[in-house]
Amino acid sequence: MNNTNRPWDAYISDRDQGVFDAAGFGASAGMGDRPVLLIIDVSYAFCGDKREPILDSVKRWKLSCGEAAWDALPVIRRLIDAAHQKGVPVIYTTGYARGDKWDRGSWTWKNPRREGSQDTSVEPPPSNRDGNDIMDEIAPSPQDIVVWKQKPSGFHEAPLQSYLQLLKADSLIVAGTTTSGCVRATTVDAFSNNYRVAVVEDACFDRADVSHAVSLLDLHAKYADVVKSNDMLAFIEGLENDLFDLPRGS
């Protein structure tokens, strides 16, 4: 795992780097011939409705990742545009819940600040925005696919796997949030289903810098290739045009 200028450089010790190197972790798995771009949970709940420091944003959007989200949005937009140009499928995930939040289930156990709580709010979120709405800056196009889920992994009780089979996909290009949560869970499940996976480091974000960096380190060691967006854009550009039978949209 000898890399330069990686997000985890500030956190990994010489001892741990030596262990990874000696054990052979972090080899390049490479991509397949039929990749799908997967955009995980880039919604208002995780980005907020405007660029602002995270401690301001979480007053109205408790799950917000603040400025890290807004840094990643233009990178994600470039990946989507490149995929559209080549005819590579783009699949988005986002959440859903009952109006009374009963089906949030285990999500409520680790965070006492309930949905809609005003205990630390200075103002409510805009009434016309549901937290699960995908950001306007990267909104799905008619040919894109949206998968709704209730737990971290896009594979958990959601139709992602069946859509990938329908597309005859063999690999995933992963972007979105949070790196330590839904990105990690989905990547591990993709690996478990024998897909090759690339996680685009500057197209992923988290609310905590250490969580972002160390999650990328662990994913790169064992489950995926963590790559920079410029390298992934070059990979997409090198693909054949229109490999997939995509939805026509309406």
Side-chain angles (χ1 to χ4, degrees):
M1 292 180 62
N2 293 318
N3 300 290
T4 58
N5 300 319
R6 306 312 298 267
W8 54 79
D9 287 347
Y11 300 96
I12 188 169
S13 67
D14 290 341
R15 181 265 185 196
D16 289 348
Q17 183 67 67
V19 171
F20 283 133
D21 291 343
F25 288 110
S28 176
M31 289 294 288
D33 299 318
R34 297 177 62 83
V36 167
L37 176 60
L38 183 60
I39 310 297
I40 298 176
D41 295 0
V42 184
S43 62
Y44 285 86
F46 293 101
C47 300
D49 57 310
K50 61 184 178 181
R51 184 185 183 93
E52 59 184 341
I54 187 169
L55 289 177
D56 293 328
S57 189
V58 297
K59 293 176 182 178
R60 294 181 300 126
W61 305 91
K62 74 170 187 176
L63 301 178
S64 176
C65 298
E67 292 171 307
W70 292 82
D71 289 340
L73 278 170
V75 181
I76 296 170
R77 180 74 261 174
R78 288 194 291 273
L79 290 169
I80 293 168
D81 290 344
H84 284 164
Q85 186 173 1
K86 279 290 179 177
V88 169
V90 180
I91 300 180
Y92 296 77
T93 71
T94 191
Y96 70 96
R98 289 169 49 104
D100 60 11
K101 309 299 183 184
W102 175 85
D103 53 351
R104 294 281 293 164
S106 52
W107 284 116
T108 64
W109 300 344
K110 290 292 290 181
N111 190 329
R113 185 176 166 190
R114 301 182 310 277
E115 295 289 339
S117 170
Q118 297 298 310
D119 55 352
T120 60
S121 295
V122 293
E123 58 179 304
S127 59
N128 64 328
R129 285 299 182 192
D130 184 282
N132 289 320
D133 289 346
I134 295 168
M135 297 294 289
D136 285 346
E137 289 79 359
I138 60 154
S141 296
Q143 75 271 28
D144 297 334
I145 300 163
V146 179
V147 171
W148 283 269
K149 65 185 182 71
Q150 289 198 309
K151 298 301 180 187
S153 173
F155 289 89
H156 181 78
E157 296 182 353
L160 177 58
Q161 171 73 338
S162 65
Y163 293 159
L164 295 173
Q165 289 175 334
L166 184 62
L167 291 163
K168 298 180 175 64
D170 62 7
S171 49
L172 290 176
I173 303 163
V174 176
T177 195
T178 59
T179 316
S180 61
C182 298
V183 167
R184 179 187 172 92
T186 303
T187 297
V188 172
D189 276 357
F191 171 89
S192 299
N193 282 291
N194 291 318
Y195 292 101
R196 295 178 184 268
V197 188
V199 176
V200 184
E201 66 177 53
D202 48 333
C204 294
F205 55 96
D206 208 311
R207 64 186 59 88
D209 291 341
V210 63
S211 298
H212 172 73
V214 174
S215 294
L216 289 178
L217 166 65
D218 203 47
L219 289 172
H220 188 66
K222 294 179 284 188
Y223 305 116
D225 293 345
V226 174
V227 302
K228 299 180 185 299
S229 60
N230 286 340
D231 293 333
M232 183 49 63
L233 289 167
F235 169 77
I236 294 172
E237 174 62 27
L239 293 170
E240 295 181 30
N241 292 321
D242 302 318
L243 287 168
F244 295 88
D245 179 18
L246 297 176
R248 292 188 296 273
S250 59

